[in-house]
Amino acid sequence: MNEAIADIGLVGLAVMGQNLVMNMADHGYTVAVYNRTTARTTEFKDGPAAEMSVIATADLHGLVAQLKRPRRVMLMVQAGAPVDAVIRELVPLLEPGDIIIDGGNSHYADSDRRVEELQEHGIHFIGAGISGGEEGARHGPSIMPGGSAGAWPDVRPIFEAIAAKVDGVPCCSWLGSGGSGHFVKMVHNGIEYADMQLIAESYDLMRRVLELDHDAMSSVFSTWNSGRLESYLIEITRDIMAYRDDDGEPIVERILDSAGQKGTGKWTVVNALELGTPLSLIGEAVFARFLSALKEERVQASRLLPGAPEQNEADRDEYLVSLEQALYGAKVTTYAQGFMLMQQASAEFRWDLNLGAIALLWRGGCIIRSAFLNDIAAAYVRDPGLANLLIDSYFRAEITGAQAGWRKVVADAMLRGVPVPAMASGLTFFDGYRTENLPANLIQAQRDYFGAHTFERTDRARGEYFHVNWTGRGGDVSSTVY
C-alpha cells in the first residue's frame, strides 16, 4: 500500500477549486484532487498544476487513500443536493475524526444539518464561506469557517496560510458552531448586493443629472477611492468607466441593464424577515435586480408613463460633494443593517459571533474589502456590545456630517424621476431609527380595532397588554396573539 502523502483533498475543479488548490500548493501543501469529469482533472494536472505538489485521482476512494490522518476533504461543488451527494459517497470511506469542509455558497441551514448528521458518524464538518472570486482563491481569499469546533486546529494552519493578509493578519478566523460560517458569508453577499447597487445609483446620477462622460466618471471614482470610500468595488468601477470597446466607445453602455444573481442576496433578505430585522436597504438592492430583469416591460413602460418635469441644471462640483456624502451615508447604513442581522442571528442561534473580528476578516481578499472596515472593527473594540453602528461615536459624527448631502441627492433624484431605491431606503431607515415616536401606535390601534390584537400603553409598564371595545359591539375578549 502506498503511503498517504496529501495534506488535504479537494473535490470539484471549477475555477474556484483549481485556484484554491494552486494557492495551497504555493504554500507548501500537497493536495489530492478529484473531479467528476475525469478529463478536467487530467487537464488541470497536466496544465496549470503540472509543476505543483498536486495528486490527480480518478475517484473518491483514490482521493481518500492519498490523505494523511485526520483526513481533510474540501468540497468545491454546487450548493444543495450535489454537496449532499458527495458527502454520502465520502462517509463510508472516512473514519471518526476525519473532516469534511464545504467551501461553496451553501445555505447556512444546510450546514447546520450537515454538522449534526456527520456528528453521528464521528466525522467533523466545517462550512466555510470563501470570498474573493477566482483572483482571491488563487492569491488569498477571505475565509469564514464555522461548524465542528474540534476540527478547527487541524484546518487552521492551511486556511490561515492561504487567506489574504492585512498588516500580516490572515483574513480568516473561527466564527462559531453550526452554519455560522455560511451565515456570515451570506450577509457578506447581501452587503455586496447593496454596495454594488449604491455605486450603480451614483453612476446613474452622474450620467443623467451631470451628464458626465465616462472619463470624467472614472476620475470621480478614482478620487473617491483615495478617500473614505476606498474599496475594491469603487476601484473596479473606476476601471470599468475607463474601459473601451474595440471601436473606442465605453463598453459599459453596451452591457444589457438586466442584473443576474445567484440567490445569496435573496437568502439574506429572507433570513432578515425570519429574524425580524429591518434589512430595508439590502432588500431594495435585491428588488432592484428583480426590477432590472423586467427589461421588456420597462422598455414599454418608458414609452407610456410620463416622468418628472424638467429640472434646473446642477452645479457639478457642489453636486459631487453631496453625492459622495450620499454614497457614504448609505454605505454606513448598509453595514449597520448587515451587522444588525448577524447580531440577531448570533443571539437566536447562540453563535456568539465576534462582530469586530468579522469586520477584520473582510478587510482583504473579499469583494467588499475596504478601508472602511477598520473603522467598523474599531467601533466594536470601543464597545463589544454595541447595539448599532449608527450610534457609535465615530459613525455618529460621520453620518451626521454626511446627511445634508445625502438628503439633497435623494430629494433631487425624486424631483428628476431618477430611481435611487437603495439610497432612499437607507435614508428612510436612518430617519426611522433616529425617531423616538413612530406612527406604529396607529397601526396597533387599527390591529386592535379589527382583530382585538391588543396593545401596550405609554403610561403603563412594558409587557402589559390592553384591548379597547372600539365600537361598543366588540366585547372585551382579546386575541391570544399579540
Side-chain angles (χ1 to χ4, degrees):
M1 179 181 290
N2 293 331
E3 181 183 356
I5 61 172
D7 299 295
I8 189 169
L10 189 137
V11 179
L13 292 175
V15 64
M16 287 290 287
Q18 290 190 19
N19 283 338
L20 284 170
V21 169
M22 291 189 286
N23 190 349
M24 292 174 189
D26 282 346
H27 288 86
Y29 293 100
T30 298
V31 188
V33 299
Y34 164 72
N35 193 79
R36 184 172 54 86
T37 306
T38 307
R40 177 169 287 180
T41 306
T42 303
E43 290 168 4
F44 176 59
K45 175 56 184 169
D46 293 344
E51 304 300 322
M52 294 182 163
S53 54
V54 174
I55 303 168
T57 65
D59 52 36
L60 289 177
H61 187 277
L63 178 131
V64 171
Q66 293 288 343
L67 301 178
K68 301 173 185 176
R69 288 176 170 80
R71 301 179 182 96
R72 293 166 286 204
V73 183
M74 188 166 189
L75 312 184
M76 294 300 298
V77 299
Q78 185 179 354
V83 174
D84 287 321
V86 176
I87 290 174
R88 282 195 299 271
E89 288 187 63
L90 276 172
V91 167
L93 306 176
L94 300 178
E95 298 174 350
D98 289 341
I99 303 161
I100 295 176
I101 306 156
D102 176 16
N105 267 337
S106 290
H107 193 269
Y108 80 95
D110 287 336
S111 293
D112 267 335
R113 170 178 55 80
R114 289 165 186 153
V115 168
E116 295 181 5
E117 290 175 352
L118 288 170
Q119 190 173 355
E120 296 177 5
H121 299 276
I123 297 171
H124 297 302
F125 180 84
I126 290 177
I130 298 177
S131 179
E134 57 185 281
E135 180 184 349
R138 181 67 184 87
H139 301 292
S142 173
I143 308 177
M144 295 153 258
S148 303
W152 179 230
D154 292 311
V155 173
R156 180 175 184 173
I158 299 177
F159 277 10
E160 290 188 344
I162 68 172
K165 311 293 189 301
V166 176
D167 301 327
V169 178
C171 293
C172 172
S173 60
W174 186 253
L175 292 173
S177 62
S180 57
H182 276 131
F183 190 94
V184 170
K185 173 57 163 58
M186 178 191 73
V187 175
H188 164 284
N189 285 22
I191 292 172
E192 178 185 311
Y193 274 57
D195 220 344
M196 293 169 73
Q197 176 64 27
L198 290 168
I199 293 170
E201 290 175 14
S202 300
Y203 146 71
D204 200 28
L205 290 167
M206 280 188 228
R207 67 175 178 173
R208 295 176 65 177
V209 176
L210 297 181
E211 299 182 349
L212 298 185
D213 63 33
H214 292 76
D215 288 334
M217 287 190 279
S218 179
S219 179
V220 171
F221 283 112
S222 181
T223 299
W224 286 355
N225 198 48
S226 64
R228 60 185 178 177
L229 287 171
E230 177 191 349
S231 67
Y232 173 72
L233 287 171
I234 292 288
E235 177 186 323
I236 68 171
T237 304
R238 173 202 66 195
D239 297 344
I240 290 167
M241 290 298 120
Y243 199 90
R244 296 293 184 268
D245 207 349
D246 293 339
D247 62 357
E249 291 299 311
I251 196 168
V252 68
E253 301 304 335
R254 291 177 174 168
I255 297 174
L256 185 69
D257 59 324
S258 179
Q261 56 186 309
K262 291 188 175 180
T264 48
K266 182 172 68 175
W267 287 352
T268 310
V269 176
V270 168
N271 278 278
L273 292 170
E274 291 175 343
L275 293 171
T277 305
L279 214 71
S280 54
L281 195 159
I282 294 174
E284 285 295 344
V286 175
F287 294 142
R289 292 200 189 188
F290 293 158
L291 181 59
S292 78
L294 303 178
K295 178 64 176 179
E296 289 73 21
E297 288 184 46
R298 289 188 291 108
V299 169
Q300 183 181 18
S302 70
R303 296 165 182 160
L304 298 174
L305 300 175
E310 195 72 25
Q311 298 296 312
N312 294 331
E313 184 177 333
D315 179 89
R316 180 185 187 278
D317 292 339
E318 181 181 317
Y319 189 88
L320 286 175
V321 169
S322 294
L323 186 57
E324 189 273 347
Q325 292 176 350
L327 179 55
Y328 182 78
K331 183 182 177 77
V332 171
T333 305
T334 296
Y335 281 79
Q337 291 189 352
F339 276 76
M340 285 171 66
L341 180 57
M342 290 189 291
Q343 192 171 42
Q344 183 63 34
S346 182
E348 179 79 13
F349 304 127
R350 300 180 181 177
W351 286 336
D352 194 26
L353 295 179
N354 184 329
L355 299 182
I358 291 170
L360 291 177
L361 67 86
W362 285 348
R363 292 182 303 163
C366 69
I367 303 302
I368 63 171
R369 61 185 183 266
S370 66
F372 171 85
L373 287 156
N374 285 312
D375 300 321
I376 294 178
Y380 286 106
V381 169
R382 283 189 290 273
D383 181 4
L386 183 66
N388 192 296
L389 279 174
L390 295 177
I391 59 176
D392 168 71
S393 57
Y394 173 81
F395 285 109
R396 188 167 68 243
E398 287 288 283
I399 207 162
T400 297
Q403 67 172 304
W406 192 4
R407 294 184 189 285
K408 286 179 184 177
V409 166
V410 170
D412 184 70
M414 297 297 175
L415 290 172
R416 295 177 186 274
V418 180
V420 285
M423 276 189 191
S425 177
L427 183 58
T428 299
F429 172 85
F430 171 72
D431 282 334
Y433 189 71
R434 67 177 191 82
T435 297
E436 182 177 356
N437 294 309
L438 291 169
N441 54 324
L442 176 57
I443 294 172
Q444 283 302 94
Q446 292 169 332
R447 293 179 72 240
D448 191 55
Y449 190 110
F450 65 67
H453 291 295
T454 75
F455 53 84
E456 295 174 277
R457 295 177 60 109
T458 59
D459 55 355
R460 301 291 180 88
R462 291 296 305 267
E464 287 188 68
Y465 298 95
F466 301 87
H467 168 60
V468 167
N469 184 355
W470 297 92
T471 64
R473 302 185 301 274
D476 297 323
V477 178
S478 61
S479 170
T480 57
V481 179
Y482 178 61

